Amino acid sequence: MGRLIIVGGRVIDPSQQVDRVTNLLIEDGKIVGLDAVPRGDEETINATGKIVCPGLIDMHVHLREPGGEEDETIATGTLAALSGGFTTVACCPNTDPPIDTQAAVHFVFERAARADHCHVAVIACVSKNREGKELAEIGQLVEAGAVAFSDDGSPIANADLMRRAFQYCLMFDKPILSHAEIPELTAGGVMHEGLVSLILGLQGMPAAAEDAMVARDIALAESTGGRLHVMHVSTMGSVQAIRRAKARGVRVTAEVTPHHFTLTDEALRSFDSNFKVNPPLRSREHVDALIEGLVDGTIDVIASDHAPHAKEKKLQELDRAPFGVVGLETTLSLVIMRLIEPGHLTWSQAIEKMTVNPARILGLNKGTLAPGADADVTIIDPELRWQVEPEELLSKSKNTAFAGWHMKGRAVTVIVGGRVKFRR
């Protein structure tokens, strides 16, 4: 594999509180260290004017395989991840069949190895067949390599099942990733319940449906000592509840998606199904609360919730079209444009929420440029201008909420295990 040196870049590694212009040396797939001097026998990458950081980690991705290959495959999804600057993604288990057996976990690992793009961590089901009735074989799934548990796409409505899941996962120190929603309150809904849904005459999904479930899950995590991670937080009430829980010492973490901190329910005035997501795009006061949660550390992680759907599915009427948008290839630019440039987050704070924090939550030995670490590195050109053209995205599906947007900043080189896997 040899030696590789990245010269002249602004190296930002929140895990070591590093933020300075220097060189980074990689040898035999591992990080050697900073401040290296070229010897002349290594491959050299000139990163002048660019950001060099640990490989980005997206802990909430839907790769659809098996069963949804018309939407995405592990090969196409991991290629899209590289394009977005991600060296590790964690895939959700709402496939067909779901990832609730050791064989299903091994299938994902095998397909990811065959694609040989980026690392894939596996999130397995909390309940068998994601039906919310009976716990999956948690211990066997951990043994197979699952890093966390979730029935994402379906909330775990049965409180007793959720409580036992916390107790069981505690034995293995694995988090439960909660899709927080009370289904009885959102049944038939297509967008946020509020003034816009009233004007448009569309069935709403109230913020209370998320708030109440987040409160329940926090109470169960607190009573059991279990680890809760709240996926795709979208409401002011959720942010406030998580903030209070953290202050009490509850083992809770949270993530937000770029579409939730960028867009509002006003987007649905277009009746474009590419703005139909679950949880729904909320009103401005909720968006402001999410940004505040990112700023004060209540929200630990930025994740894409990459949810690809084939074009013919999204072309259906709004009430029939599936929820979800692709996000792997636009996340980094939106973080730069909507969080870093306005001054909400520093580069180091933003990178922390996309590297070391998700790695810590999932128990991955990733997200750092410390000597001896795997050489997963993302090089970002913060000034690169580009326009989102759906047909040019590398994801198999093109259901982006940002078609036509002029973006700033993009990953230009992505290194996985010491090998250059992607160049812009």
Side-chain angles (χ1 to χ4, degrees):
M1 200 172 289
R3 288 164 60 91
L4 170 66
I5 191 166
I6 302 168
V7 299
R10 177 184 170 187
V11 177
I12 302 177
D13 181 7
S15 75
Q16 302 183 89
Q17 288 80 52
V18 170
D19 184 352
R20 57 190 169 88
V21 175
T22 184
N23 300 340
L24 176 68
L25 179 63
I26 295 167
E27 189 166 11
D28 296 328
K30 300 290 184 180
I31 302 292
V32 175
L34 303 175
D35 306 318
V37 177
R39 274 186 339 201
D41 62 344
E42 59 274 288
E43 179 184 354
T44 302
I45 296 176
N46 186 345
T48 303
K50 298 178 176 64
I51 305 288
V52 179
C53 67
L56 303 182
I57 299 170
D58 191 337
M59 65 176 289
H60 188 166
V61 172
H62 300 272
L63 295 178
R64 300 300 187 210
E65 189 177 5
E69 289 84 356
E70 70 277 11
D71 300 325
E72 191 79 281
T73 65
I74 291 169
T76 59
T78 51
L79 183 60
L82 289 178
S83 176
F86 295 98
T87 59
T88 300
V89 297
C91 67
C92 290
N94 58 336
T95 50
D96 185 16
I99 304 175
D100 62 355
T101 64
Q102 288 186 318
V105 175
H106 291 310
F107 171 85
V108 174
F109 287 147
E110 186 274 329
R111 288 302 172 96
R114 185 183 300 179
D116 196 23
H117 290 144
C118 69
H119 305 292
V120 177
V122 176
I123 302 164
C125 295
V126 172
S127 67
K128 291 182 178 178
N129 208 35
R130 291 178 55 248
E131 292 176 343
K133 297 176 181 177
E134 184 182 356
L135 278 183
E137 297 292 346
I138 303 290
Q140 292 182 12
L141 291 164
V142 170
E143 190 177 287
V147 297
F149 293 87
S150 178
D151 278 0
D152 184 42
S154 298
I156 301 170
N158 185 316
D160 181 58
L161 185 81
M162 186 66 156
R163 179 171 172 271
R164 287 188 288 116
F166 275 126
Q167 292 170 329
Y168 215 95
C169 287
L170 186 58
M171 296 166 57
F172 305 98
D173 194 31
K174 300 297 182 188
I176 293 180
L177 281 48
S178 170
H179 174 115
E181 173 189 1
I182 293 181
E184 294 86 353
L185 293 178
T186 59
V190 298
M191 67 174 295
H192 172 62
E193 182 182 275
L195 179 61
V196 179
S197 68
L198 183 66
I199 292 169
L200 299 179
L202 293 174
Q203 180 84 23
M205 304 167 73
E210 179 177 315
D211 297 346
M213 190 64 96
V214 167
R216 185 207 73 171
D217 289 345
I218 287 172
L220 293 175
E222 189 167 16
S223 67
T224 61
R227 293 178 57 200
L228 168 65
H229 177 80
V230 185
M231 306 173 93
H232 45 44
V233 172
S234 72
T235 71
M236 181 191 310
S238 293
V239 175
Q240 293 170 344
I242 294 162
R243 183 180 290 122
R244 291 192 298 266
K246 285 190 167 190
R248 295 197 306 273
V250 182
R251 302 176 76 194
V252 57
T253 54
E255 71 186 40
V256 68
T257 76
H259 49 271
H260 283 116
F261 66 64
T262 299
L263 302 170
T264 70
D265 56 348
E266 293 283 344
L268 267 297
R269 289 181 182 271
S270 65
F271 289 90
D272 184 343
S273 65
N274 285 324
F275 297 113
K276 182 184 177 184
V277 292
N278 188 15
L281 302 175
R282 305 286 185 185
S283 53
R284 173 52 59 185
E285 66 268 24
H286 293 289
V287 174
D288 291 343
L290 296 176
I291 293 173
E292 184 182 329
L294 282 165
V295 171
D296 69 14
T298 300
I299 297 175
D300 309 81
V301 170
I302 298 166
S304 72
D305 190 7
H306 177 81
H309 293 290
K311 188 177 294 185
E312 63 271 16
K313 296 180 181 179
K314 276 292 193 178
L315 284 174
Q316 298 180 92
E317 297 87 348
L318 195 59
D319 59 343
R320 298 182 63 189
F323 293 99
V325 292
V326 292
L328 281 167
E329 297 170 79
T330 52
T331 289
L332 177 58
S333 298
L334 291 167
V335 168
I336 293 169
M337 294 166 58
R338 293 304 172 109
L339 298 177
I340 296 174
E341 289 202 328
H344 299 305
L345 297 179
T346 65
W347 269 98
S348 185
Q349 289 169 331
I351 289 170
E352 182 179 35
K353 294 179 191 295
M354 300 175 74
T355 57
V356 63
N357 284 1
R360 172 177 51 81
I361 292 165
L362 297 178
L364 304 175
N365 187 23
K366 302 285 182 186
T368 180
L369 298 178
D374 292 340
D376 298 339
V377 183
T378 301
I379 303 176
I380 302 163
D381 183 343
E383 301 298 325
L384 180 64
R385 306 276 180 168
W386 64 288
Q387 187 171 2
V388 181
E389 299 289 353
E391 295 307 317
E392 294 179 5
L393 297 176
L394 298 185
S395 171
K396 191 170 184 179
S397 291
K398 314 301 177 184
N399 54 308
T400 175
F402 304 101
W405 279 46
H406 292 274
M407 298 288 198
K408 183 180 180 183
R410 209 173 192 189
V412 290
T413 306
V414 182
I415 299 166
V416 182
R419 294 184 293 164
V420 176
K421 288 289 188 176
F422 187 86
R423 294 184 195 269
R424 183 70 55 196

